[in-house]
Amino acid sequence: MPTEIVFETHSWSEDNDRGIATGWLPGRLSPRGRALAAELGQRRRDDGIAAVFTSDLRRAAETADIAFSGTPIPVLHDWRLRECNYGHRNGMPAAELQDRYLDEPYPGGESWRQAVHRVGRFLDDLPLLWAHQRILVIGHVATRWTLDHRINGVRLEDLINADFAWREGWEYRIADPRDRQDGTLPTQTSAG
């Protein structure tokens, strides 16, 4: 049985309302975001989720707290699931952050490729305790790009130019790399 990963973005934030690219700033959910987080919980509480992993940034952690409050499902915070660090541009209007730094880091921050590598280390560690289980990951654009790149083989060059169309979750499956001779993550298509 493969490990199943359900990915959900953090809920709508006050910065989303204002058109701000939050990056590594904490952010805070808007009233709309809190309602969406509650809907996420209703959607996923009885979905066979063994654990929830969330970015430690406030907007993602708050999403997980609202969605899974009062359930026995463990919520684990992991800094590696953070958004790309826009460095000096964290908190700028999103319209002014149109340059995508695929390989060159944002001034004082990281490149998208570095962010995907960072999130990829989370995926590498996942089978240590959570192999063959269904887990939920709450994160950001960098989190989803990592899943699409590492599991589905989508090139970062294609992801950086694609629209990030929101939906109610993406699902991915990965085989346990301990079952492979070379120790690499096999690519499997996502379901959903």
Side-chain angles (χ1 to χ4, degrees), residues 4 6 12 15 21 33 45 49 51 61-62 70-71 79 85 99 122 137-138 177 182 187:
E4 296 179 354
V6 178
W12 196 259
D15 284 349
R45 284 176 186 226
I49 302 294
E62 190 177 0
T71 73
W79 76 273
N85 182 358
D99 291 335
F122 163 81
V137 175
I138 297 174
D182 62 3
T187 58

Side-chain angles (χ1 to χ4, degrees), residues 5 7 123 142-152 172:
I5 300 171
F7 170 70
L123 285 179
T143 316
R144 188 180 135 220
W145 284 6
T146 302
L147 293 165
D148 284 344
H149 178 66
R150 293 276 306 271
I151 296 173
N152 292 340
Y172 303 86

Side-chain angles (χ1 to χ4, degrees), residues 65-120:
D65 290 344
I66 292 169
F68 294 95
S69 174
T71 73
I73 301 170
V75 175
L76 307 165
H77 301 88
D78 194 315
W79 76 273
R80 296 174 296 180
L81 296 173
R82 287 180 169 203
E83 179 60 288
C84 185
N85 182 358
Y86 305 136
H88 304 306
R89 295 182 178 182
N90 287 322
M92 290 189 70
E96 294 177 24
L97 194 69
Q98 293 192 10
D99 291 335
R100 300 284 187 150
Y101 287 73
L102 180 60
D103 292 304
E104 179 184 334
Y106 285 95
E110 67 185 340
S111 70
W112 281 99
R113 197 171 303 279
Q114 289 170 324
V116 166
H117 179 75
R118 170 179 35 82
V119 177

